[in-house]
PDB file of all heavy atoms in Angstrom:
ATOM      1  N   ALA X 132     -50.157  97.491  12.195  1.00 45.00           N
ATOM      2  CA  ALA X 132     -51.494  97.818  12.679  1.00 45.00           C
ATOM      3  C   ALA X 132     -52.571  96.963  12.020  1.00 45.00           C
ATOM      4  O   ALA X 132     -53.468  96.450  12.686  1.00 45.00           O
ATOM      5  CB  ALA X 132     -51.788  99.295  12.444  1.00 45.00           C
ATOM      6  N   GLU X 133     -52.493  96.791  10.705  1.00 45.00           N
ATOM      7  CA  GLU X 133     -53.523  96.040   9.995  1.00 45.00           C
ATOM      8  C   GLU X 133     -53.538  94.587  10.450  1.00 45.00           C
ATOM      9  O   GLU X 133     -54.598  94.006  10.699  1.00 45.00           O
ATOM     10  CB  GLU X 133     -53.292  96.129   8.490  1.00 45.00           C
ATOM     11  CG  GLU X 133     -54.390  95.469   7.679  1.00 45.00           C
ATOM     12  CD  GLU X 133     -54.192  95.661   6.187  1.00 45.00           C
ATOM     13  OE1 GLU X 133     -53.197  96.298   5.782  1.00 45.00           O
ATOM     14  OE2 GLU X 133     -55.040  95.169   5.427  1.00 45.00           O
ATOM     15  N   GLU X 134     -52.355  93.996  10.573  1.00 44.00           N
ATOM     16  CA  GLU X 134     -52.302  92.589  11.014  1.00 44.00           C
ATOM     17  C   GLU X 134     -52.786  92.465  12.452  1.00 44.00           C
ATOM     18  O   GLU X 134     -53.463  91.501  12.811  1.00 44.00           O
ATOM     19  CB  GLU X 134     -50.871  92.060  10.908  1.00 44.00           C
ATOM     20  CG  GLU X 134     -50.767  90.610  11.336  1.00 44.00           C
ATOM     21  CD  GLU X 134     -49.362  90.047  11.175  1.00 44.00           C
ATOM     22  OE1 GLU X 134     -48.544  90.664  10.477  1.00 44.00           O
ATOM     23  OE2 GLU X 134     -49.106  88.984  11.767  1.00 44.00           O
ATOM     24  N   THR X 135     -52.446  93.457  13.285  1.00 46.00           N
ATOM     25  CA  THR X 135     -52.893  93.444  14.669  1.00 46.00           C
ATOM     26  C   THR X 135     -54.413  93.416  14.734  1.00 46.00           C
ATOM     27  O   THR X 135     -55.010  92.659  15.501  1.00 46.00           O
ATOM     28  CB  THR X 135     -52.372  94.696  15.405  1.00 46.00           C
ATOM     29  OG1 THR X 135     -50.944  94.693  15.366  1.00 46.00           O
ATOM     30  CG2 THR X 135     -52.840  94.703  16.853  1.00 46.00           C
ATOM     31  N   GLU X 136     -55.053  94.241  13.899  1.00 46.00           N
ATOM     32  CA  GLU X 136     -56.511  94.283  13.900  1.00 46.00           C
ATOM     33  C   GLU X 136     -57.086  92.963  13.400  1.00 46.00           C
ATOM     34  O   GLU X 136     -58.096  92.483  13.916  1.00 46.00           O
ATOM     35  CB  GLU X 136     -57.003  95.436  13.039  1.00 46.00           C
ATOM     36  CG  GLU X 136     -58.515  95.609  13.095  1.00 46.00           C
ATOM     37  CD  GLU X 136     -58.971  96.897  12.466  1.00 46.00           C
ATOM     38  OE1 GLU X 136     -58.165  97.535  11.760  1.00 46.00           O
ATOM     39  OE2 GLU X 136     -60.131  97.267  12.676  1.00 46.00           O
ATOM     40  N   GLN X 137     -56.446  92.357  12.391  1.00 49.00           N
ATOM     41  CA  GLN X 137     -56.937  91.088  11.873  1.00 49.00           C
ATOM     42  C   GLN X 137     -56.840  89.990  12.926  1.00 49.00           C
ATOM     43  O   GLN X 137     -57.719  89.141  13.052  1.00 49.00           O
ATOM     44  CB  GLN X 137     -56.150  90.693  10.628  1.00 49.00           C
ATOM     45  CG  GLN X 137     -56.455  91.557   9.405  1.00 49.00           C
ATOM     46  CD  GLN X 137     -55.564  91.258   8.233  1.00 49.00           C
ATOM     47  OE1 GLN X 137     -54.592  90.503   8.348  1.00 49.00           O
ATOM     48  NE2 GLN X 137     -55.862  91.839   7.086  1.00 49.00           N
ATOM     49  N   ARG X 138     -55.738  90.008  13.705  1.00 52.00           N
ATOM     50  CA  ARG X 138     -55.530  88.951  14.710  1.00 52.00           C
ATOM     51  C   ARG X 138     -56.434  89.130  15.921  1.00 52.00           C
ATOM     52  O   ARG X 138     -57.022  88.176  16.418  1.00 52.00           O
ATOM     53  CB  ARG X 138     -54.069  88.961  15.191  1.00 52.00           C
ATOM     54  CG  ARG X 138     -53.079  88.307  14.262  1.00 52.00           C
ATOM     55  CD  ARG X 138     -51.778  88.082  15.002  1.00 52.00           C
ATOM     56  NE  ARG X 138     -50.753  87.472  14.190  1.00 52.00           N
ATOM     57  CZ  ARG X 138     -49.604  86.993  14.672  1.00 52.00           C
ATOM     58  NH1 ARG X 138     -49.353  87.063  15.960  1.00 52.00           N
ATOM     59  NH2 ARG X 138     -48.710  86.454  13.872  1.00 52.00           N
ATOM     60  N   TRP X 139     -56.490  90.386  16.431  1.00 49.00           N
ATOM     61  CA  TRP X 139     -57.137  90.603  17.726  1.00 49.00           C
ATOM     62  C   TRP X 139     -58.238  91.654  17.697  1.00 49.00           C
ATOM     63  O   TRP X 139     -58.708  92.086  18.738  1.00 49.00           O
ATOM     64  CB  TRP X 139     -56.078  91.015  18.763  1.00 49.00           C
ATOM     65  CG  TRP X 139     -55.052  89.957  18.981  1.00 49.00           C
ATOM     66  CD1 TRP X 139     -55.230  88.726  19.533  1.00 49.00           C
ATOM     67  CD2 TRP X 139     -53.653  90.010  18.627  1.00 49.00           C
ATOM     68  NE1 TRP X 139     -54.056  88.019  19.556  1.00 49.00           N
ATOM     69  CE2 TRP X 139     -53.065  88.786  19.016  1.00 49.00           C
ATOM     70  CE3 TRP X 139     -52.850  90.980  18.047  1.00 49.00           C
ATOM     71  CZ2 TRP X 139     -51.714  88.512  18.816  1.00 49.00           C
ATOM     72  CZ3 TRP X 139     -51.506  90.707  17.849  1.00 49.00           C
ATOM     73  CH2 TRP X 139     -50.946  89.486  18.230  1.00 49.00           C
ATOM     74  N   GLY X 140     -58.663  92.051  16.489  1.00 47.00           N
ATOM     75  CA  GLY X 140     -59.622  93.142  16.383  1.00 47.00           C
ATOM     76  C   GLY X 140     -60.938  92.902  17.098  1.00 47.00           C
ATOM     77  O   GLY X 140     -61.614  93.849  17.487  1.00 47.00           O
ATOM     78  N   ASN X 141     -61.319  91.636  17.289  1.00 56.00           N
ATOM     79  CA  ASN X 141     -62.598  91.330  17.927  1.00 56.00           C
ATOM     80  C   ASN X 141     -62.477  91.104  19.428  1.00 56.00           C
ATOM     81  O   ASN X 141     -63.450  90.726  20.080  1.00 56.00           O
ATOM     82  CB  ASN X 141     -63.230  90.093  17.281  1.00 56.00           C
ATOM     83  CG  ASN X 141     -63.627  90.342  15.839  1.00 56.00           C
ATOM     84  OD1 ASN X 141     -64.058  91.433  15.493  1.00 56.00           O
ATOM     85  ND2 ASN X 141     -63.470  89.331  15.003  1.00 56.00           N
ATOM     86  N   THR X 142     -61.297  91.331  19.988  1.00 62.00           N
ATOM     87  CA  THR X 142     -61.094  91.072  21.410  1.00 62.00           C
ATOM     88  C   THR X 142     -61.288  92.338  22.230  1.00 62.00           C
ATOM     89  O   THR X 142     -61.080  93.452  21.762  1.00 62.00           O
ATOM     90  CB  THR X 142     -59.683  90.521  21.676  1.00 62.00           C
ATOM     91  OG1 THR X 142     -58.715  91.540  21.360  1.00 62.00           O
ATOM     92  CG2 THR X 142     -59.408  89.286  20.830  1.00 62.00           C
ATOM     93  N   GLU X 143     -61.656  92.154  23.483  1.00 73.00           N
ATOM     94  CA  GLU X 143     -61.806  93.289  24.392  1.00 73.00           C
ATOM     95  C   GLU X 143     -60.459  93.946  24.657  1.00 73.00           C
ATOM     96  O   GLU X 143     -60.368  95.166  24.818  1.00 73.00           O
ATOM     97  CB  GLU X 143     -62.437  92.822  25.710  1.00 73.00           C
ATOM     98  CG  GLU X 143     -62.561  93.923  26.758  1.00 73.00           C
ATOM     99  CD  GLU X 143     -63.348  95.134  26.274  1.00 73.00           C
ATOM    100  OE1 GLU X 143     -64.276  94.953  25.458  1.00 73.00           O
ATOM    101  OE2 GLU X 143     -63.029  96.258  26.695  1.00 73.00           O
ATOM    102  N   ALA X 144     -59.393  93.135  24.682  1.00 67.00           N
ATOM    103  CA  ALA X 144     -58.055  93.687  24.914  1.00 67.00           C
ATOM    104  C   ALA X 144     -57.692  94.687  23.819  1.00 67.00           C
ATOM    105  O   ALA X 144     -57.158  95.763  24.087  1.00 67.00           O
ATOM    106  CB  ALA X 144     -57.024  92.560  24.964  1.00 67.00           C
ATOM    107  N   TYR X 145     -57.998  94.325  22.572  1.00 62.00           N
ATOM    108  CA  TYR X 145     -57.692  95.221  21.459  1.00 62.00           C
ATOM    109  C   TYR X 145     -58.513  96.504  21.562  1.00 62.00           C
ATOM    110  O   TYR X 145     -57.994  97.610  21.381  1.00 62.00           O
ATOM    111  CB  TYR X 145     -57.993  94.520  20.133  1.00 62.00           C
ATOM    112  CG  TYR X 145     -57.766  95.384  18.917  1.00 62.00           C
ATOM    113  CD1 TYR X 145     -56.493  95.575  18.406  1.00 62.00           C
ATOM    114  CD2 TYR X 145     -58.828  96.029  18.290  1.00 62.00           C
ATOM    115  CE1 TYR X 145     -56.279  96.376  17.294  1.00 62.00           C
ATOM    116  CE2 TYR X 145     -58.624  96.829  17.181  1.00 62.00           C
ATOM    117  CZ  TYR X 145     -57.345  96.998  16.688  1.00 62.00           C
ATOM    118  OH  TYR X 145     -57.138  97.800  15.598  1.00 62.00           O
TER     119      TYR X 145
END
Side-chain angles (χ1 to χ4, degrees):
E133 185 176 1
E134 181 177 345
T135 300
E136 185 169 14
Q137 289 174 352
R138 281 194 181 191
W139 298 294
N141 294 324
T142 66
E143 177 57 32
Y145 178 80

